[in-house]
Amino acid sequence: MNKFLGDTERLADELFLIGHDDYNGKPLAAANLLDSALAGAILAELALAGRITITRGDVFVADNRAWQDPVADRTLGEIVRQGDGHDARAWLEFIRPQVHEQVGLRLVSAGALRRHSRRTLTLRKTVRWPGRDPNRVAAPRVRLAAVLERSDQPLDIRDATLAALVRSSGLIRVFGLPEHAVAQRISAARRLLPPALADLLAAVDATVATATLDIRR
């Protein structure tokens, strides 16, 4: 797969912005679910850039050149060090604990967000990611909602992947569109994805399912 960035944020950046309130920066989905999907978005960035491929659920390095991005390069470097053939779910679990902070700070460096942390009365630390420019912060959600609403046009590979990760995070409601129709459109688009991305999304779904069980316990 070829590199596909265009003029938009990177894939995980868009998912991060969709998954947080435009103004106060509060997450709009359970942390375990959003972070599982964000980890999938990092691997998807590498797959879309031709750096990795995924075959029958296992991750292989296709191009070990650095991408000049600290988040993607850190992940790619670790995949290179550990070697080919490790399960995508294991990589998702490896990436997930740090991914929220890493992607958030990438957006801070890009000037899109601020990082605001505080301690509650119980001394628990909370972090919020309020936007510096509400229009920029809202742009991925508005753009993807418009794409999903145009049922007469197919989603491209990148938007289909992003939409599937949004659905995995439980965030379809943020679009303000009929959820059943949007879910059907995402499912149809997902069936047309290349096998590498289809395998990755299956691994994300399995990781999310495990995280959901953990939340309910």
Side-chain angles (χ1 to χ4, degrees):
M1 278 173 280
N2 295 324
K3 184 173 180 179
F4 186 99
L5 291 178
D7 297 323
T8 65
E9 311 283 357
R10 292 187 189 272
L11 194 72
D13 293 352
E14 287 201 289
L15 180 59
F16 192 100
L17 293 175
I18 291 169
H20 290 78
D21 184 271
D22 297 349
Y23 294 95
N24 63 28
K26 183 178 179 179
L28 301 174
N32 279 357
L33 307 190
L34 181 55
D35 291 352
S36 296
L38 282 170
I42 295 297
L43 292 180
E45 287 181 11
L46 292 170
L48 287 165
R51 297 301 198 266
I52 64 170
T53 188
I54 298 148
T55 303
R56 292 187 293 276
D58 293 334
V59 177
F60 298 85
V61 176
D63 182 347
N64 64 7
R65 291 177 299 166
W67 193 359
Q68 306 307 312
D69 173 79
V71 182
D73 289 347
R74 187 180 298 113
T75 301
L76 179 60
E78 192 61 35
I79 294 172
V80 171
R81 281 191 291 274
Q82 295 294 333
D84 288 337
H86 293 287
D87 184 71
R89 285 190 65 182
W91 280 116
L92 293 170
E93 295 288 354
F94 177 83
I95 297 167
R96 187 172 65 179
Q98 302 88 20
V99 71
H100 207 107
E101 182 80 0
Q102 289 175 353
V103 176
L105 290 176
R106 185 164 74 178
L107 283 161
V108 170
S109 296
L113 302 177
R114 292 181 291 109
R115 184 184 186 278
H116 177 69
S117 65
R118 68 182 183 89
R119 291 197 180 275
T120 65
L121 292 176
T122 60
L123 300 182
R124 185 171 66 89
K125 184 178 180 181
T126 62
V127 178
R128 297 289 181 261
W129 304 90
R132 290 186 178 274
D133 178 352
N135 290 329
R136 180 178 177 183
V137 171
R141 184 184 70 251
V142 173
R143 183 190 67 79
L144 189 57
V147 170
L148 290 169
E149 200 170 19
R150 293 197 298 268
S151 59
D152 59 324
Q153 297 184 19
L155 277 68
D156 63 29
I157 290 174
R158 187 182 185 284
D159 281 342
T161 303
L162 176 59
L165 291 168
V166 168
R167 184 182 183 185
S168 295
S169 306
L171 287 166
I172 287 180
R173 67 186 185 282
V174 306
F175 295 125
L177 300 172
E179 293 187 19
H180 181 67
V182 170
Q184 285 187 322
R185 181 147 161 72
I186 293 171
S187 294
R190 180 170 167 170
R191 287 194 290 270
L192 301 177
L193 286 172
L197 289 172
D199 286 353
L200 173 59
L201 290 172
V204 171
D205 285 347
T207 304
V208 165
T210 300
T212 302
L213 287 176
D214 290 341
I215 291 171
R216 290 175 178 171
R217 286 172 183 166

